[in-house]
């Protein structure tokens, strides 16, 4: 079986390299952008990207790398394991854009750099993005139960409030090597405004008014402030190897808060 995940071409010029097409995205340890090319990886970050890379080598100070990227981060993609999305995201006009730049300094023992930029999506305010089920009620506003006293739910109805997204991100990476020792670290920060378009089925709590028995929806505009960090310390000797790894990801205990402080990796 063949599974074509990416297709791109490189154009080499005296002033740098251009890469065009659907290509992998990887930076640092991969906590924010991970190409998914490991043996046990089922997924990875790919983008429809125009990428430009150039470098300046100096005899005394090492190499300075520069780059810029313009992405259509998602082009009508769908996860087949998720139902209810319908045709909400159906063309690049409705999808996310990402514009980023990178600077990476490298010498023999000390790479240091950043991958920073913004993500933007022009949402359709007032429209819905998914579907959810409401709790059915009678004429008096009381939930309708079946013979087993279970709450009855409606057929899927439009839900999930759409809106604009404007996020700013910065991702810093550092590495230091000395003899048998090696340290690598990465820190990522994501902030701005985000429209999630999320909605879940109504939850049958008791003593809720009839007007509160619809789908649970996130606001159309949410504040985003999330950060992650990871580090690796490695030592290689003739008699063996040592590897220490650790990480941090922000979060809170309020999944329906209008301020988003977490995302998985």
């Amino acid at each position: 079986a063949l599974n074509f995940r990416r297709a791109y071409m490189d154009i080499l010029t005296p002033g740098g390299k251009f890469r065009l097409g659907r290509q992998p995205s990887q930076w640092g340890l991969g906590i924010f952008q991970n190409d998914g090319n490991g043996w046990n990886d089922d997924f990875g970050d790919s983008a429809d990207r125009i990428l430009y890379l150039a470098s300046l080598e100096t005899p005394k100070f090492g190499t300075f790398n520069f780059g810029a990227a313009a992405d259509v981060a998602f082009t009508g993609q769908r996860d087949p394991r998720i139902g209810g999305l319908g045709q909400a995201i159906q063309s690049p006009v409705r999808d996310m854009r990402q514009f980023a730049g990178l600077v990476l300094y490298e010498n023999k023992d000390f790479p240091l750099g950043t991958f920073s930029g913004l993500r933007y999506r022009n949402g359709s305010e007032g429209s819905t993005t998914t579907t959810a089920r409401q709790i059915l009620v009678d004429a008096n506003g009381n939930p309708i139960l079946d013979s087993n006293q279970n709450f009855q739910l409606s057929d899927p109805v439009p839900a999930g409030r759409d809106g604009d997204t404007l996020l700013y991100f910065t991702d810093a990476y550092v590495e230091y090597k000395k003899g048998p020792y090696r340290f690598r670290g990465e820190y990522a920060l994501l902030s701005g405004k985000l429209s999630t378009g999320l909605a879940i089925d109504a939850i049958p709590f008791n003593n809720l008014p009839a007007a509160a028995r619809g789908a649970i929806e996130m606001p159309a505009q949410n504040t985003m402030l999330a950060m992650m960090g990871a580090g690796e310390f490695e030592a290689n000797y003739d008699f063996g190897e040592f590897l220490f790894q650790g990480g941090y990801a922000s979060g809170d205990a309020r999944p329906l808060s209008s301020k988003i402080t977490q995302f998985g990796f």
Side-chain angles (χ1 to χ4, degrees):
L2 297 177
N3 179 14
F4 291 97
R5 300 171 61 186
R6 300 154 183 159
Y8 57 87
M9 68 176 179
D10 290 340
I11 302 175
L12 302 179
T13 72
K17 178 175 75 172
F18 291 89
R19 174 169 289 182
L20 312 175
R22 181 161 295 182
Q23 55 193 272
S25 185
Q26 170 77 34
W27 176 258
L29 295 173
I31 63 174
F32 185 61
Q33 298 278 294
N34 194 315
D35 58 19
N37 289 338
W39 282 104
N40 298 315
D41 296 343
D42 294 324
F43 302 97
D45 292 325
S46 297
D48 295 336
R49 171 174 290 178
I50 301 174
L51 174 67
Y52 170 75
L53 293 173
S55 63
L56 175 64
E57 297 184 7
T58 64
K60 295 183 178 180
F61 301 104
T63 302
F64 295 87
N65 303 285
F66 307 92
D71 299 353
V72 178
F74 304 98
T75 306
Q77 297 185 25
R78 285 187 62 185
D79 188 334
R81 300 168 302 175
I82 300 176
L85 290 179
Q87 298 297 317
I89 300 177
Q90 56 188 340
S91 71
V93 176
R94 297 282 303 280
D95 291 346
M96 191 78 72
R97 301 290 198 277
Q98 177 172 288
F99 303 94
L102 66 91
V103 178
L104 178 65
Y105 166 74
E106 293 180 290
N107 65 20
K108 182 179 179 182
D109 301 318
F110 183 65
L112 172 66
T114 180
F115 176 72
S116 302
L118 62 88
R119 291 183 177 183
Y120 169 75
R121 177 176 177 268
N122 183 16
S124 179
E125 290 83 359
S127 66
T128 56
T129 61
T130 184
T131 59
R133 297 175 185 270
Q134 300 176 343
I135 298 174
L136 295 177
V137 296
D138 59 23
N140 297 320
N142 298 314
I144 299 176
L145 306 177
D146 62 14
S147 58
N148 296 319
Q149 301 302 303
N150 295 318
F151 289 87
Q152 296 297 287
L153 300 178
S154 70
D155 292 331
V157 296
R161 304 176 188 177
D162 197 10
D164 294 339
T165 290
L166 181 59
L167 296 174
Y168 304 93
F169 67 89
T170 184
D171 189 348
Y173 174 75
V174 62
E175 181 178 342
Y176 179 72
K177 295 178 287 184
K178 189 69 174 180
Y181 306 108
R182 181 188 187 192
F183 170 78
R184 298 194 298 164
E186 183 181 353
Y187 171 80
L189 173 67
L190 186 63
S191 65
K193 298 293 184 179
L194 174 66
S195 174
T196 65
L198 294 178
I200 61 176
D201 292 348
I203 298 177
F205 293 116
N206 293 325
N207 302 318
L208 286 179
R213 300 188 184 279
I216 298 176
E217 299 175 301
M218 294 287 286
Q221 197 75 65
N222 305 271
T223 300
M224 182 83 183
L225 181 60
M227 62 187 73
M228 302 185 297
E232 294 184 350
F233 177 74
E234 182 180 356
N236 294 281
Y237 299 99
D238 294 337
F239 58 85
E241 301 177 354
F242 297 91
L243 177 62
F244 301 92
Q245 296 177 316
Y248 166 79
S250 63
D252 58 38
R254 300 177 299 166
L256 296 180
S257 169
S258 62
K259 184 175 183 179
I260 300 174
T261 61
Q262 56 192 337
F263 56 94
F265 70 98

